[in-house]
Amino acid sequence: MAASDPEKLMIKADKLTKLSLTRWSADWKSAIGLYEQAANGFRLAKNYEKAKAAFEKASRGQEMLSSPWDAAKHMESAAALAKELSNWSEVAEFYRRASELYIECGRSQPASDALAKGARVLEDTAPDEAIRLYIDACEILEEDGKEQMAFDLYRAATSVYIKLEKYDDAATFLLRLGLAADKCNATHSQCKAYLSAIIVYLYANDFKQAEKCYNDCCQIDAFFSSDQNRCASKLFSAYTDGDVEEIKRVAQSSTVKNLDHMIIRLAKKLPTGEVSALKAEHEEALDEDDLT
């Protein structure tokens, strides 16, 4: 066999890591180089299973040499190969391990990025795990005071929730985005997130929760004086008037069209329920007010 044969390289590397009568300490530095060569050789030959195993061993070697950054890089390579093999549980496991190794380096951004990579891979095949990865990725940045770097992750998680028809969770995550935006003084993003949450509740035909969300958001000065508040107010007026055409008009206004695509798609389908009952309830409430 040629010296560059990846199988031979793996055997040679494994020997360097095993102790014997003639080797009292493992030569991880030399072994890592051989594992890396073997991994690249296997990958070139499209033998992804063996390439993955080689990168795992190279990562382990870097850990033994107290090089968590390089260990994380190799673990990400192993995760990418797990994706090629459709081994979704290993995709999550390896990206999580890579993230932990980046944390050891004190690097929150690549740690979060590793989890986000795993989440994007798993959105269609394992959406619940994708959401967990997105949430953990957000939390890493939040703990490091880098909320603004997590905005796209909040949106990505929200999108998966919407695909799963978990509208309460989607709205809750949008409110979490609004809170993060508030901490960064990103007022425009904050107000867009609050209007988006209200639209999600309306799409889910949960008018009472949408109204509660709106009233809570109006306690925040930035939202109270915003275009997004004016848009939400018009929506609620149209709903309580039972005016379907006005709901559709407001839902396709420029303010809504400036929201994320996933929210625009929901808004285009408003109203999703019967609004005449809301009008009757509203008129009944007004009558009661007149009597008092």
Side-chain angles (χ1 to χ4, degrees):
M1 289 191 291
S4 59
D5 184 309
E7 297 278 7
K8 191 172 183 179
L9 292 170
M10 288 294 287
I11 293 169
K12 188 175 179 181
D14 285 342
K15 284 181 178 176
L16 291 173
T17 64
K18 290 182 173 65
L19 304 184
S20 67
L21 291 173
T22 56
R23 182 179 293 107
W24 290 10
S25 62
D27 185 358
W28 281 106
K29 186 174 182 181
S30 299
I32 289 167
L34 295 172
Y35 285 136
E36 289 169 345
Q37 290 178 57
N40 290 325
F42 282 132
R43 186 164 54 185
L44 198 62
K46 298 191 184 307
N47 190 334
Y48 296 137
E49 189 64 53
K50 288 188 175 180
K52 174 171 65 71
F55 276 122
E56 284 184 79
K57 288 187 174 184
S59 178
R60 175 61 181 152
Q62 295 290 6
E63 283 191 72
M64 296 299 291
L65 294 180
S66 300
S67 300
W69 177 269
D70 292 317
K73 288 291 183 184
H74 287 321
M75 195 51 72
E76 285 201 72
S77 296
L81 291 162
K83 175 193 170 186
E84 294 295 330
L85 293 162
S86 301
N87 191 331
W88 310 123
S89 62
E90 282 194 344
V91 167
E93 178 189 342
F94 292 167
Y95 276 121
R96 282 192 180 282
R97 182 59 190 143
S99 178
E100 290 167 1
L101 289 163
Y102 285 128
I103 291 290
E104 283 185 34
C105 303
R107 301 290 296 276
S108 61
Q109 187 66 60
S112 175
D113 289 346
L115 295 179
K117 287 176 190 174
R120 283 190 287 272
V121 171
L122 297 173
E123 278 190 15
D124 294 327
T125 55
D128 289 325
E129 179 62 25
I131 286 170
R132 284 191 288 271
L133 288 167
Y134 277 132
I135 291 172
D136 290 346
C138 289
E139 288 177 351
I140 286 171
L141 294 174
E142 287 170 352
E143 288 171 8
D144 203 25
K146 295 180 178 177
E147 284 89 355
Q148 193 154 8
M149 305 299 291
F151 285 5
D152 286 342
L153 302 177
Y154 292 114
R155 295 186 184 104
T158 300
S159 180
V160 180
Y161 275 132
I162 288 173
K163 287 177 187 174
L164 293 175
E165 299 183 359
K166 293 184 175 182
Y167 300 116
D168 279 351
D169 290 326
T172 298
F173 222 71
L174 284 165
L175 294 173
R176 184 169 168 178
L177 166 56
L179 182 62
D182 184 33
K183 289 180 181 178
C184 305
N185 295 316
T187 303
H188 191 56
S189 294
Q190 178 185 10
C191 295
K192 285 171 67 175
Y194 291 153
L195 176 58
S196 297
I198 291 164
I199 288 171
V200 169
Y201 282 127
L202 290 174
Y203 178 82
N205 203 26
D206 191 344
F207 183 80
K208 290 192 182 303
Q209 191 60 42
E211 195 170 38
K212 181 182 182 302
C213 179
Y214 173 68
N215 290 334
D216 288 345
C217 291
C218 281
Q219 303 303 309
I220 299 164
D221 290 340
F223 181 76
F224 188 74
S225 58
S226 70
D227 289 341
Q228 288 76 20
N229 174 38
R230 285 184 280 277
C231 179
S233 178
K234 288 176 184 176
L235 266 179
F236 282 109
S237 294
Y239 266 87
T240 53
D241 289 344
D243 191 338
V244 172
E245 290 307 312
E246 178 65 4
I247 292 170
K248 290 181 177 179
R249 189 191 70 77
V250 177
Q252 296 190 45
S253 64
S254 59
T255 304
V256 174
K257 286 180 179 177
N258 282 324
L259 301 176
D260 292 320
H261 292 302
M262 59 185 170
I263 304 300
I264 295 171
R265 283 195 293 271
L266 298 186
K268 283 180 178 178
K269 297 175 184 177
L270 294 179
T272 53
E274 182 57 57
V275 296
S276 57
L278 290 172
K279 182 182 180 183
E281 285 178 22
H282 183 61
E283 289 175 346
E284 188 177 321
L286 290 176
D287 289 341
E288 288 178 4
D289 288 341
D290 289 342
L291 290 172
T292 56

